[in-house]
Amino acid sequence: MNERLKAFDQYYKETGIEQRKLIHAKGYWHEVFHCWVIEKTDLEWRIYLQLRSKNKKDYPNQFDITAAGHILATETIEDGVRELKEEVGINVMFSQLTSLGVVPYSIDNEKIKDYEFANVFVYVLTGGIEQFTLQREELDGIYSANLNQFILLATHKIQEIEVSGYKYVNDLRHDEVKQIGLEQMSALPESYLQEFIPRLKKMLIEAT
């Protein structure tokens, strides 16, 4: 895959266009699209987490943002809405998303130098988990959690939360309920969650 991305400096000023592989090898800042899907049931708000494929190079079998992806050099942020359709089969217009702004964060270790300007959005789903259709190359499953519990986990108030959903094993769907902690969400660094959670809470307050 020879994707080309816009490169930026730390102040979000564009510096050029580079291959995705080089972007990650050199640790250049670049743009990504994040969309968290939430849903209001009769009793509670819930948040959906994707289970990354066990075959992914980065963070296999980890719980992650509902849908996310890189913004190509030829795309605008609005084009990122395609990730919802491609990864989880949710077909919506960009105008249906609520923006939480840009969250800059980085992951820098022996495997990857990932410096991202995450354009973060929220989509409010209706109809439940059966609305999802998974891109099996990218995802093994989809789960939901009580949103308040997710916030407590992300802010280290509790150690585990219960998630319910399904995953595919050898092309067979397995419904399950399980407990997960932050160690199963290693694709989401602390710095990202520290920025994301207050913005999400503010959005929910304004929506009530």
Side-chain angles (χ1 to χ4, degrees), residues 136-182:
R136 295 292 309 286
E137 296 84 5
E138 299 290 329
L139 284 70
D140 276 349
I142 189 81
Y143 294 77
S144 72
N146 174 281
L147 182 51
N148 287 331
Q149 292 289 299
F150 175 82
I151 290 172
L152 291 174
L153 176 68
T155 53
H156 300 283
K157 301 293 195 310
I158 57 177
Q159 298 300 312
E160 289 187 329
I161 58 173
E162 179 181 280
V163 297
S164 60
Y166 64 87
K167 67 178 178 181
Y168 284 95
V169 179
N170 297 326
D171 292 328
L172 295 177
R173 172 173 160 168
H174 290 260
D175 296 292
E176 66 175 357
V177 176
K178 62 187 299 183
Q179 300 288 321
I180 66 169
L182 287 176

